[in-house]
């Protein structure tokens, strides 16, 4: 039995393909993956984009937030996830404090590409324009990230909806224009007020990928663990789980424990 992913039913997704999807009005589906079997299953399901997110720090590594994730950990998980894909565009997060300067951003973006990613993602708007432009100049596609920025959670004091005031909305619109001008091929909008996310989506030529930002974005992204109920200790309010894997794991483990402790031959 081969461990190679099955041949894709269609060519691999690319940044240009995602832009074409936006132009056609076709929604873009994005899910996170941090390991080979999850990436392979999602790839075989037809997902357009797999995000090796720094959310791995919370749902896999047990950190309190994403700021603890290192570039070495992102390289490790990117290698694993990329091995499981043949169709999806693999985007890997640049973790906290790894792109403070353009040269540093380029070096770490290259590391993720060498690990198997096809593109990288970083958080920030106009303040990250130089970093985005520098990475793109190296031939590496960049996905931007606006709204609630998980890597800034300690500074901002929590996970809050963005764009609730005219000043915030104007800044988001300006940041969106700035990342597009810098060369980003898409932008994640996290916890952005629905009306503002719709304005940004209409304004930009590049796709917007929403998470908790309403239905009008060009696509949606979720942490896979939230989607399938694999991280039951916390589920964001905007998530509608489509599975309850944690319950199945507990039930299977309980059955195994019972079989093991039952007198006679364990039935396993």
């Amino acid at each position: 039995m081969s461990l190679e992913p099955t041949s894709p039913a269609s060519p691999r997704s690319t940044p240009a393909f995602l832009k074409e999807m936006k132009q056609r009005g076709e929604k873009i589906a994005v899910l996170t993956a941090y390991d080979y079997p999850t990436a392979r299953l999602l790839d075989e399901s037809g997902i357009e984009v797999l995000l090796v997110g720094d959310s791995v720090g919370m749902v896999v590594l047990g950190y309190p937030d994403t700021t603890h994730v290192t570039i070495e950990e992102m390289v490790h998980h990117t290698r694993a996830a990329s091995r499981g894909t043949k169709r999806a565009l693999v985007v890997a997060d640049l973790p906290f404090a790894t792109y403070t300067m353009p040269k540093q951003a380029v070096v770490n973006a290259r590391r993720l590409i060498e690990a198997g990613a096809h593109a990288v993602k970083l958080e920030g708007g106009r303040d990250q324009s130089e970093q985005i432009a520098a990475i793109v100049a190296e031939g590496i596609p960049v996905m931007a990230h606006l709204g609630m920025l998980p890597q800034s959670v300690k500074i901002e004091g929590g996970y809050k909806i963005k764009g609730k005031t005219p000043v915030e909305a104007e800044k988001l619109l300006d940041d969106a224009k700035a990342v597009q001008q810098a060369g980003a091929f898409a932008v994640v909008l996290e916890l952005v007020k629905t009306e503002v996310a719709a304005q940004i989506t209409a304004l930009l030529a590049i796709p917007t990928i929403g998470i908790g930002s309403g239905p009008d974005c060009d696509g949606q992204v979720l942490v896979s663990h939230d989607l399938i109920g694999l991280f039951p200790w916390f589920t964001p309010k905007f998530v509608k789980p489509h599975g309850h894997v944690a319950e199945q794991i507990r039930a299977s483990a309980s059955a195994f424990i019972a079989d093991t402790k039952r007198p006679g031959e364990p039935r396993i």
Side-chain angles (χ1 to χ4, degrees):
M1 181 180 68
S2 173
L3 288 179
E4 285 297 311
T6 54
S7 297
S10 56
R12 188 182 290 279
S13 295
T14 64
F17 177 70
L18 300 184
K19 187 173 182 179
E20 291 171 4
M21 290 182 69
K22 176 185 175 80
Q23 293 169 344
R24 293 195 301 267
E26 183 179 352
K27 297 292 186 178
I28 301 164
V30 185
L31 286 169
T32 62
Y34 319 107
D35 56 61
Y36 173 86
T38 303
R40 180 168 174 176
L41 288 168
L42 297 180
D43 192 71
E44 292 174 353
S45 298
I47 201 80
E48 278 95 27
V49 181
L50 281 178
L51 174 63
V52 186
D54 57 4
S55 49
V56 66
M58 300 172 74
V59 299
V60 175
L61 303 177
Y63 294 142
D65 55 61
T66 63
T67 64
H68 298 267
V69 178
T70 66
I71 187 66
E72 289 76 19
E73 288 166 335
M74 289 305 304
V75 166
H76 171 85
H77 288 280
T78 299
R79 281 184 181 141
S82 65
R83 294 187 190 111
T85 69
K86 288 222 174 200
R87 180 181 184 276
L89 179 75
V90 178
V91 180
D93 267 338
L94 281 165
F96 178 69
T98 63
Y99 52 96
T100 55
M101 299 294 290
K103 287 184 179 180
Q104 180 197 31
V106 169
V107 168
N108 287 314
R110 283 178 183 155
R111 293 188 66 181
L112 294 175
I113 297 299
E114 289 168 359
H118 309 119
V120 299
K121 181 171 74 65
L122 55 75
E123 296 181 6
R126 186 168 292 280
D127 61 323
Q128 296 298 328
S129 293
E130 288 187 34
Q131 283 87 327
I132 293 172
I135 297 170
V136 171
E138 293 293 315
I140 299 172
V142 176
M143 178 180 283
H145 186 139
L146 300 175
M148 196 285 291
L149 307 179
Q151 293 177 11
S152 301
V153 65
K154 292 180 178 178
I155 297 172
E156 298 188 357
Y159 302 94
K160 303 174 183 178
I161 296 176
K162 301 297 182 180
K164 296 172 72 174
T165 68
V167 172
E168 281 190 357
E170 188 61 35
K171 184 179 187 307
L172 283 167
L173 288 163
D174 179 70
D175 281 338
K177 289 185 286 188
V179 298
Q180 176 175 264
Q181 186 175 5
F185 73 88
V187 56
V188 169
L189 301 178
E190 182 164 1
L191 292 183
V192 173
K193 188 177 178 181
T194 300
E195 295 80 2
V196 179
Q199 290 177 39
I200 294 172
T201 301
L203 173 71
L204 298 183
I206 61 175
T208 60
I209 309 297
I211 177 167
S213 298
D216 298 316
C217 296
D218 296 306
Q220 298 291 329
V221 58
L222 281 181
V223 172
S224 296
H225 289 59
D226 295 335
L227 177 71
I228 65 176
L230 186 54
F231 196 81
W233 306 280
F234 173 76
T235 302
K237 293 180 181 179
F238 56 82
V239 173
K240 176 186 176 183
H242 285 264
H244 302 283
V245 173
E247 295 177 11
Q248 294 176 301
I249 291 174
R250 286 172 176 150
S252 297
S254 295
F256 169 74
I257 293 167
D259 281 347
T260 299
K261 295 181 180 296
R262 187 176 291 117
E265 185 72 22
R267 290 180 287 179
I268 58 175

